[in-house]
């Protein structure tokens, strides 16, 4: 039987990079591919033409996508086909039906961000959805608040390797690399009218929740918001709590941005040269430091060569407490020393000082000392880079994730 996997590209360069690596992995396993390119208007018609063959016993389809791409793809269906379930819940207004539900195609949706950023898509997710989260706390969130989603699982981030030859650390030109934006400068569009939350003072809540996250950075945003609400209004039902969490999710970005800026700033102010990519680094009050080498915003694939020329790849999490970020695995696969804040997932998967270097956000002040120690003991740093590379190559590539998806969700 021929099994074709459907992918979506042409919306975000980062997701295109991940998709391309997953596609390569699945094709080596014998799966065929159909690529829906959002830039090509003929993509939908081409896909529907291919799916028309799905009633054949010789054809099978699955969709593997990121961040809900293509979730609401629909089609005109003048009359029910024999192959469609009798109890077809996917009929929509205007005589259209969701493609994935109509054909009974598994829709594997890998979320790169917290689910509270995708309230509407997840509420309207196809019945055939399998949602895969990159943080175990996100899995819990979906299981609690999205009863319409019947399958949810944890799928960690993965890395991409550029080439197979890597310079030793001593020959690399970048001391410390940080590749990621400061979200505080782009989060304004997420901030709601805080007066629209009648249960509490929204402005006061935002400040208090952010302060709690800064002082106790191992806590999740949704946990602190719920605690704040329940302390003041014990009668607020779960549904309303979740609505307010979605409204206040911008606080998550503020907390992320605070620690991200502090991690880079403390290195720069201690005389450690940091090369930074992404928006916002030129807007900090300390941006004029000679130890900050700001190189603007570039596409995701363009970061990989810089990682291959970096001694240290610095990472701070996007407020993931039980997951990871692709910067970690990309850096390891570039044979750089990855220095990152920790998570319960990373602590289980790796050992501090063996495959990478981990620090607790509460101990950010120790970061310069640890970086200077790596520079001062370059042979030891090289051992960490080599060990990290081996660990990432063996278990944290998109090929590894494809193998897991095949075993659990594909035939």
């Amino acid at each position: 039987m021929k099994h074709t996997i459907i992918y979506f590209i042409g919306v975000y360069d980062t997701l295109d990079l991940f998709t391309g690596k997953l596609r390569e992995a699945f094709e080596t396993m014998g799966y065929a591919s159909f690529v829906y390119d959002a830039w090509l208007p003929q993509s939908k018609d081409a896909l529907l033409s291919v799916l028309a063959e799905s009633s054949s016993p010789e054809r099978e389809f699955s969709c593997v996508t990121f961040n809900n791409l293509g979730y609401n793809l629909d089609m005109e269906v003048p009359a029910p086909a024999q192959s469609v379930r009798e109890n077809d819940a996917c009929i929509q207004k205007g005589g259209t039906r969701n493609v994935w539900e109509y054909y009974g195609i598994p829709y594997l949706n890998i979320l790169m961000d917290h689910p509270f950023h995708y309230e509407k898509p997840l509420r309207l997710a196809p019945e055939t959805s399998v949602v895969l989260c990159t943080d175990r706390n996100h899995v819990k969130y979906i299981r609690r608040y999205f009863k319409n989603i019947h399958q949810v699982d944890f799928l960690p981030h993965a890395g991409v390797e550029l080439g197979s030859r890597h310079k030793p650390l001593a020959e690399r030109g970048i001391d410390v690399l940080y590749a990621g934006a400061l979200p505080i400068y782009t989060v304004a569009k997420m901030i709601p009218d805080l007066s629209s939350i009648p249960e509490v003072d929204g402005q006061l809540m935002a400040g208090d929740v952010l302060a709690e996250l800064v002082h106790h950075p191992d806590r999740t945003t949704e946990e602190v918001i719920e605690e704040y609400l329940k302390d003041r209004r014990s009668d607020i039902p779960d549904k309303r709590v979740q609505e307010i969490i979605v409204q206040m999710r911008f606080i998550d970005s503020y907390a992320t941005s605070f620690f991200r800026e502090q991690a880079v700033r403390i290195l720069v102010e201690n005389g450690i040269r940091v090369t930074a990519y992404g928006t916002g680094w030129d807007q900090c009050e300390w941006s004029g430091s000679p130890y900050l080498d700001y190189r603007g915003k570039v596409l995701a694939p363009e970061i990989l060569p810089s990682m291959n020329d970096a001694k240290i790849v610095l990472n701070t999490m996007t407020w993931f407490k039980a997951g990871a970020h692709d910067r970690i695995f990309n850096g390891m696969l570039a044979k750089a020393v990855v220095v990152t804040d920790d998570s319960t997932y990373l602590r289980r998967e790796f050992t501090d000082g063996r495959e990478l270097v981990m620090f607790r956000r509460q101990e950010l002040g120790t970061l310069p000392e640890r970086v200077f120690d790596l520079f001062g003991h370059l042979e030891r740093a090289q051992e960490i880079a080599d060990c990290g590379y081996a660990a990432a190559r063996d278990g944290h590539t998109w090929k590894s994730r494809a193998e897991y998806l095949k075993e659990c969700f594909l035939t």
Side-chain angles (χ1 to χ4, degrees), residues 73-84:
L73 195 67
D74 56 22
M75 59 185 289
E76 294 287 340
V77 183
Q82 292 294 323
S83 61
V84 180

Side-chain angles (χ1 to χ4, degrees), residues 13-77:
D13 59 286
T14 304
L15 300 185
D16 288 351
L17 178 62
F18 301 158
T19 299
K21 292 302 176 180
L22 271 181
R23 178 186 173 190
E24 288 176 15
F26 279 123
E27 286 179 351
T28 62
M29 299 176 193
Y31 291 90
S33 300
F34 179 91
V35 179
Y36 186 111
D37 190 335
W39 286 97
L40 301 178
Q42 64 268 32
S43 285
K44 182 175 180 179
D45 289 341
L47 175 60
L48 295 179
S49 177
V50 169
L51 292 181
E53 304 174 26
S54 67
S55 58
S56 166
E58 303 302 317
R59 297 295 302 271
E60 188 169 0
F61 293 89
S62 299
C63 176
V64 176
T65 190
F66 290 91
N67 289 2
N68 314 287
L69 295 179
Y71 82 102
N72 62 349
L73 195 67
D74 56 22
M75 59 185 289
E76 294 287 340
V77 183

Side-chain angles (χ1 to χ4, degrees), residues 115-125 131 138 140-152 242 246:
F116 56 38
H117 293 299
Y118 303 114
E119 172 70 16
K120 182 178 178 180
L122 292 175
R123 292 283 171 215
L124 300 177
V131 176
H138 301 173
K140 294 177 184 177
Y141 184 91
I142 287 182
R143 285 178 176 159
R144 179 178 179 185
Y145 292 119
F146 293 90
K147 303 302 183 185
N148 60 307
I149 294 173
H150 306 300
Q151 292 191 77
V152 58
Q242 196 256 341
V246 172

Side-chain angles (χ1 to χ4, degrees), residues 361-387:
R361 285 161 292 278
Q362 299 92 325
E363 300 168 351
L364 199 59
T366 67
L367 189 56
E369 180 183 349
R370 300 197 71 181
V371 170
F372 277 127
D373 186 63
L374 290 168
F375 290 152
H377 301 86
L378 213 53
E379 288 186 6
R380 174 63 185 138
Q382 186 68 62
E383 291 175 5
I384 297 173
D386 293 343
C387 192

